[in-house]
Amino acid sequence: MQIINVQTGIPFILNDRPVRSLSAPGTRLLDVLRQEFHLTGTKCGCKEGECGACAVLINGRLVTSCLVAVGSIAHQAVLTIEGYRKTERFAVLDEAFAEMAAVQCGFCTPGMVLATEALLSEHPHPSPEEIRQGLSGNLCRCTGYQALVQAVSTAAQKGAGLW
Amino acid sequence: MRGEALYVDDLVIEGLLYGRLLHSDRARARIRSIRLPKLPPEVTVVDWRDAPARNQIHIVQDDMPIFAKDEVAYVGDVILMLVGPDEQELQNLLSRIQIDYQELTPVLDPQLSQQVFFDYHYGHGQVEQAFAEADHIFSETFHTGLQEQAYLEPNGLIAIPGNRKMTVRGSMQCPYYVKTALVRALGEAADQVQVVQEVTGGGFGGKEDYPSVLACQLAVAALKTGRPVKCILNRREDMATTTKRHPSRCHYKVAVKAGQVTAMDIDVLMDSGAYTTLSPVVLQRGIIGAPGVYRIPNLRVHGQARKTNTVPNGAFRGFGAPQTFFAVEMMMSHIAAALNQEPLAFKARQLVSQGDETSTGGRYHFYVSLPDLIKRAEELSHYREKRQAYARQTAQRYRRGIGIALIYHGCGFTGNSERDFIKAVVKLKKRTDDRVEVLASNADIGQGIKTTFAKIVADQLALPLEQIIVNNPDTDKVPDSGPTVASRSLMTVGQLLAQAAARLKQVWEPGKEQVIEEHYQHPEYMIPFDMDRFAGDAYPTYSWAVSVVELELDRLTGTADILGAWGIFDVGVPIDYNIVQGQMQGGFLQGLGYACMEHLTYSPAGVPQQTSFTDYIIPTAADVPNLVTDLVNNPFSHGPYGAKGAGEMPMVGVAPAYLEALEQAMNCGRLEHVPFTAEDVLDRLSDADGHLHPDFDTWTWQSKSEAESQPADPRQRKG
Ligand code: FES
Ligand code: FES
């Protein structure tokens, strides 16, 4: 059991920088990111782990941040869209998503982008089937997913070697 | 894409308070008393007593209160708001408020409701005579269910009080609707009302009417506290209490003579829910489309919207059309099967074409592209061969089916509303740096209207796209070019912008500020629409669509895998191909959800049973792996670059295509409602094994030769 000093907060790595959260350990990581750190790229669509809009990477694994208590992630590495968008991989995704018009209202997009990152790290050359499975935890009500799947395929091709 | 777009919940506002709503948990009751817990000094209660002018929200009518006064009409009706700095604290306090209700019996079934909100009739020809002379008379009743828009970003707004000014910002489709509602609700309390749309995470109609409700509630709270007040609904609250698609019951009676439909007598009932919201307009569009894409020489249509003690139903992509097009397409297929004909061939023989009268005695002034769309759909899907092959299949467990549906969508507002009520105005402002700003009130809710507007203006002026600026609408800056609804933004407002840009080009003076204003002109060719008689051109033109669904059913589990899905669309000419494709694909999937999975019900006490994505299931990336959408050009002479309305249409035809496919796969009779879930499939299959005449079957068939009603035989299903 990790002992957490309420004075010094919960230490974790946020977008490659060591930080401390002063929120109560039971606070949702989603709220910590949005309210304490003002990282509003992570969206809230349900707070019940069903929509994927709040998805972030923890140690490279895709998680819905609304279901994670900040107290449970001490010393772990959290990557949000704000950190990820500085990467070369993001640039490839950005271009592919734009080319395929895979962003409509954009609310699902940060979560989708991180889901794509998680997918491509595991399967650098995914089949359409694998893409659909990989994105199936993230809801999008606008696109019908077709453009998203094409965007991920395109990114996997254009960014070959990056993942 | 970069997570930088600021939605309403991302805004940082000085001195912000939160507002949390107390919703009724009774469907119909009088409020005897309200007992509040002891409130800390920083928490304020806001209720009907605080409404400065009228405790009413203007939508079409004014029957919805801002805060319920002494009675509640549905589970979710807002009674009061608690305002304070700490959201969690407010939530805890809310749960400790006690309301003493005097319960009344709620009316949940519109068929039992005595309160008719709207009642319309129209028709033409000699209906009785056509039935008297018919070879066959068929009748059947269809039902469609509730559907939730399920935009990913929940509804949310912030009201910011100023010096005799009220500003509301947030997620919405129609800034000027919200403004009008606020002006009426606030009266003299605010000289000036400003409404600003922020980046909006999807709408689909769900942010057409509802934001006026929340805006009034928040503005009253902001007025009382003198501080900005924000409320972002949580998902359960949004699903349980905000507007949805109207459930419907459609009864069709159809006369056939010499293989042609000669008359339809149609009765449509829509469940309005507790308040009227947009029901009149939804019902109008629904009944105008009720005879579908067919030439019906004798027609009688009756439509009603009645009150029930359920969530008020309002706008949702398709706006009344998905209900009646589902019914008419199923009816036509069922008649074809009864007459031993292949449904598509039967339907194709009676399609409307250019020059024909519309259901309301207007005209199809322009080319009707349905035959081209059908041809393309057949090329891509091989519908006919598959339909025949699947009719012969003998497999027991895994069975396939394919279905097709033909629909139109009337582009723009119904009737003369553009001319008489909306009177759209747009402006182009050329700055001294020669960049051009588009000033229009249409909101980008993900459908890409900003890009499309910019493309039109850039093209007309022969400028690079970067030189065109389109900001989110702010009523202090943009004229009222009407709401973002009815697939009108591009066709109607886009056309005005094209005209304005053409004029700007003529007077262009480099380095000078110039403003061009353009006003809506009603197309001269239109036959004026008489709303009392439902006579004339209901729409300036029509977009057309053919949807095909092919599936494989597992009769053991009741689940169906989509093997293929095709949507072929005539939207005139697409201005941005990718944007239109995205609309078609997104809409198609919503249609599929409507057909088979999106299921919302109320308990006997009127409590919504599905209020989260856990139990209200919408399609995921894995559900339709093979959707193909295609566009067939058919330029519209009065739209910008030939464009017509697009956004709503793709969802309309999916449910009947899916159900026709499912019917073929199930092979146990007619299906007559959506959503038709896996559970429904299993129920129906077991029913069909047990009984010969299940009571869900409302089908009747009278033939002249026999002159008596033939019993429905659910086992006989041809085609
Ligand atoms: S907000 Fe976390 S999954 Fe929806
Ligand atoms: S783009 Fe709107 S939810 Fe995905």
Side-chain angles (χ1 to χ4, degrees):
Chain A
M1 172 97 202
Q2 185 86 35
I3 307 289
I4 289 151
N5 182 335
V6 282
Q7 296 302 300
T8 54
I10 300 148
F12 65 101
I13 312 292
L14 177 55
N15 297 330
D16 293 330
R17 281 191 21 237
V19 295
R20 288 174 185 277
S21 165
L22 297 179
S23 302
T27 314
R28 300 166 195 274
L29 176 58
L30 170 64
D31 295 337
V32 170
L33 293 173
R34 289 181 54 86
Q35 279 153 29
E36 195 177 340
F37 293 97
H38 304 293
L39 295 176
T40 54
T42 306
K43 301 298 176 198
C44 171
C46 70
K47 284 206 178 179
E48 297 190 11
E50 290 288 340
C51 76
C54 66
V56 299
L57 298 176
I58 299 186
N59 301 334
R61 225 166 38 84
L62 190 71
V63 296
T64 44
S65 64
C66 66
L67 292 189
V68 173
V70 66
S72 71
I73 59 148
H75 305 296
Q76 306 195 30
V78 176
L79 186 67
T80 72
I81 189 72
E82 288 87 353
Y84 185 63
R85 72 184 174 216
K86 296 180 189 135
T87 64
E88 205 183 331
R89 291 177 176 182
F90 173 82
V92 173
L93 293 186
D94 193 18
E95 212 185 293
F97 274 57
E99 191 186 328
M100 294 295 146
V103 181
Q104 287 192 26
C105 81
F107 203 75
C108 69
T109 311
M112 283 288 177
V113 167
L114 292 169
T116 305
E117 163 61 28
L119 166 74
L120 293 180
S121 330
E122 200 171 324
H123 304 282
H125 306 288
S127 65
E129 179 79 334
E130 283 167 333
I131 298 176
R132 288 184 178 276
Q133 283 310 322
L135 301 184
S136 65
N138 293 61
L139 296 176
C140 172
R141 190 58 154 171
C142 297
T143 62
Y145 305 103
Q146 207 71 10
L148 283 164
V149 174
Q150 286 160 357
V152 176
S153 289
T154 308
Q157 279 163 28
K158 293 206 173 154
L162 274 181
W163 280 278
Chain B
M1 179 74 186
R2 303 176 53 81
E4 281 164 351
L6 294 181
Y7 299 78
V8 58
D9 200 20
D10 306 334
L11 301 179
V12 179
I13 295 201
E14 196 71 19
L16 185 70
L17 298 177
Y18 295 93
R20 297 308 309 170
L21 299 166
L22 178 72
H23 299 278
S24 160
D25 56 8
R26 303 302 148 93
R28 186 173 171 219
R30 309 202 120 259
I31 299 174
R32 282 211 199 92
S33 67
I34 299 177
R35 277 228 313 279
L36 299 171
K38 194 172 152 30
L39 297 178
E42 71 276 11
V43 172
T44 310
V45 186
V46 181
D47 68 11
W48 63 274
R49 278 172 286 247
D50 300 307
R54 310 180 317 154
N55 185 33
Q56 286 167 346
I57 300 158
H58 176 74
I59 296 180
V60 173
Q61 301 191 347
D62 298 272
D63 57 331
M64 187 164 186
I66 303 175
F67 295 104
K69 185 177 168 201
D70 39 26
E71 54 182 31
V72 289
Y74 76 100
V75 172
D77 227 347
V78 172
I79 298 169
L80 56 80
M81 181 188 277
L82 290 186
V83 182
D86 179 347
E87 237 182 331
Q88 194 51 53
E89 178 185 37
L90 298 177
Q91 212 58 53
N92 298 343
L93 288 168
L94 276 183
S95 64
R96 290 170 44 213
I97 296 179
Q98 288 180 355
I99 302 200
D100 181 14
Y101 292 105
Q102 178 196 347
E103 282 200 61
L104 304 166
T105 313
V107 179
L108 302 177
D109 180 353
Q111 300 186 85
L112 303 178
S113 168
Q114 301 296 315
Q115 197 166 346
V116 177
F117 278 151
F118 304 97
D119 184 286
Y120 304 125
H121 291 269
Y122 78 93
H124 57 249
Q126 305 296 326
V127 176
E128 289 311 327
Q129 196 182 331
F131 278 106
E133 292 169 0
D135 297 340
H136 306 276
I137 299 175
F138 302 94
S139 72
E140 192 171 9
T141 304
F142 303 91
H143 291 265
T144 62
L146 276 171
Q147 189 183 19
E148 158 64 29
Q149 293 88 353
Y151 29 70
L152 255 268
E153 178 209 29
N155 265 293
L157 299 171
I158 303 178
I160 306 162
N163 185 16
R164 297 196 55 78
K165 177 171 180 177
M166 182 64 67
T167 301
V168 169
R169 328 180 65 100
S171 190
M172 65 179 78
Q173 293 176 228
C174 313
Y176 272 95
Y177 278 3
V178 175
K179 177 168 171 163
T180 306
L182 284 168
V183 166
R184 299 205 189 186
L186 298 177
E188 312 223 311
D191 298 335
Q192 219 199 329
V193 170
Q194 176 193 27
V195 178
V196 185
Q197 185 235 1
E198 301 296 341
V199 180
T200 295
F204 318 116
K207 293 173 184 171
E208 175 174 344
D209 38 16
Y210 178 74
S212 298
V213 177
L214 187 58
C216 289
Q217 292 159 347
L218 285 170
V220 172
L223 209 59
K224 183 166 188 182
T225 56
R227 299 262 298 268
V229 185
K230 161 164 117 171
C231 177
I232 312 290
L233 299 191
N234 64 47
R235 178 61 60 184
R236 285 187 181 270
E237 193 178 22
D238 193 314
M239 276 207 188
T241 70
T242 70
T243 55
K244 322 218 170 297
R245 189 183 301 293
H246 292 68
S248 74
R249 190 272 292 132
C250 298
H251 179 75
Y252 277 67
K253 185 173 157 201
V254 178
V256 175
K257 190 174 172 66
Q260 296 282 42
V261 172
T262 52
M264 283 190 180
D265 188 354
I266 303 168
D267 187 73
V268 175
L269 174 62
M270 291 200 183
D271 181 349
S272 189
Y275 301 105
T276 57
T277 70
L278 291 163
S279 293
V281 212
V282 170
L283 179 62
Q284 287 158 11
R285 186 178 281 275
I287 63 173
I288 289 168
V293 294
Y294 308 106
R295 212 178 310 119
I296 310 297
N298 304 288
L299 177 69
R300 182 159 59 208
V301 183
H302 176 218
Q304 281 192 340
R306 294 193 200 159
K307 172 173 176 162
T308 59
N309 295 108
T310 60
V311 178
N313 296 308
F316 190 168
R317 196 179 210 158
F319 212 74
Q323 291 92 326
T324 50
F325 274 96
F326 165 72
V328 71
E329 284 300 280
M330 296 312 291
M331 188 73 201
M332 291 295 280
S333 300
H334 293 170
I335 295 173
L339 298 176
N340 243 327
Q341 296 188 28
E342 193 285 306
L344 178 58
F346 177 70
K347 291 174 180 176
R349 275 211 307 280
Q350 13 221 340
L351 296 179
V352 294
S353 59
Q354 184 172 12
D356 281 350
E357 281 204 356
T358 66
S359 63
T360 56
R363 284 234 178 280
Y364 291 104
H365 294 279
F366 304 100
Y367 178 63
V368 174
S369 59
L370 277 175
D372 310 341
L373 303 189
I374 293 172
K375 191 159 159 265
R376 186 80 186 119
E378 290 204 87
E379 280 164 17
L380 291 171
S381 70
H382 305 287
Y383 165 82
R384 263 179 233 250
E385 295 105 87
K386 287 177 180 165
R387 181 88 190 167
Q388 280 171 14
Y390 297 159
R392 293 189 300 265
Q393 68 193 318
T394 50
Q396 282 308 308
R397 178 163 174 189
Y398 297 100
R399 290 182 54 90
R400 294 182 171 194
I402 189 166
I404 193 165
L406 319 177
I407 63 107
Y408 73 66
H409 197 73
C411 302
F413 271 110
T414 302
N416 302 328
S417 305
E418 284 288 355
R419 186 188 65 196
D420 300 343
F421 302 113
I422 305 296
K423 301 179 181 143
V425 182
V426 301
K427 282 189 197 170
L428 285 181
K429 183 166 162 193
K430 178 167 102 53
R431 304 181 179 179
T432 48
D433 63 0
D434 286 351
R435 295 172 35 162
V436 177
E437 188 174 354
V438 172
L439 297 173
S441 60
N442 303 86
D444 205 320
I445 51 174
Q447 87 284 40
I449 199 67
K450 289 207 292 199
T451 309
T452 311
F453 279 176
K455 276 194 160 184
I456 291 173
V457 174
D459 185 75
Q460 287 285 339
L461 292 169
L463 290 177
L465 206 54
E466 305 76 63
Q467 236 164 294
I468 313 298
I469 303 162
V470 194
N471 288 318
N472 288 333
D474 169 346
T475 57
D476 274 6
K477 299 199 182 117
V478 302
D480 187 356
S481 34
T484 310
V485 304
S487 310
R488 66 178 285 280
S489 300
L490 168 58
M491 183 183 75
T492 306
V493 183
Q495 176 67 12
L496 292 180
L497 286 171
Q499 291 164 6
R503 279 177 45 213
L504 176 59
K505 193 170 182 190
Q506 284 172 7
V507 299
W508 184 278
E509 289 183 48
K512 200 176 145 202
E513 184 175 301
Q514 292 173 289
V515 178
I516 300 283
E517 191 173 293
E518 193 75 25
H519 291 253
Y520 175 75
Q521 299 276 337
H522 211 55
E524 280 144 32
Y525 64 81
M526 280 183 77
I527 302 167
F529 192 73
D530 177 343
M531 196 50 108
D532 294 330
R533 297 188 304 119
F534 277 73
D537 275 326
Y539 304 100
T541 190
Y542 301 83
S543 292
W544 305 91
V546 172
S547 319
V548 183
V549 174
E550 180 188 8
L551 51 78
E552 182 171 82
L553 175 73
D554 179 347
R555 285 171 50 110
L556 201 65
T557 61
T559 52
D561 283 341
I562 305 292
L563 299 180
W566 297 266
I568 318 297
F569 305 100
D570 159 11
V571 298
V573 176
I575 289 186
D576 185 310
Y577 183 81
N578 278 340
I579 286 180
V580 175
Q581 282 283 19
Q583 286 290 297
M584 299 302 111
Q585 292 158 358
F588 198 103
L589 237 66
Q590 288 178 4
L592 198 88
Y594 187 50
C596 63
M597 58 180 86
E598 297 184 24
H599 189 42
L600 272 178
T601 53
Y602 292 100
S603 76
V607 181
Q609 299 296 287
Q610 294 79 13
T611 58
S612 74
F613 287 130
T614 315
D615 27 49
Y616 184 73
I617 311 293
I618 66 172
T620 71
D623 287 318
V624 185
N626 31 30
L627 172 61
V628 175
T629 50
D630 198 20
L631 307 175
V632 171
N633 277 6
N634 177 17
F636 172 45
S637 50
H638 291 64
Y641 301 90
K644 299 190 279 195
E648 294 175 274
M649 179 172 60
M651 99 133 269
V652 178
V654 185
Y658 178 90
L659 233 65
E660 204 180 284
L662 189 63
E663 244 174 25
Q664 189 177 39
M666 285 171 67
N667 193 33
C668 69
R670 287 167 290 274
L671 307 181
E672 69 310 297
H673 74 264
V674 281
F676 211 93
T677 62
E679 247 169 70
D680 289 331
V681 171
L682 292 179
D683 282 355
R684 191 62 60 91
L685 287 172
S686 67
D687 268 0
D689 291 344
H691 321 275
L692 195 56
H693 308 303
D695 47 355
F696 51 77
D697 199 343
T698 56
W699 171 257
T700 70
W701 175 7
Q702 293 182 338
S703 290
K704 198 176 218 170
S705 46
E706 294 140 54
E708 63 182 33
S709 188
Q710 297 195 351
D713 182 349
R715 283 160 197 268
Q716 264 176 25
R717 188 77 180 100
K718 300 268 171 56

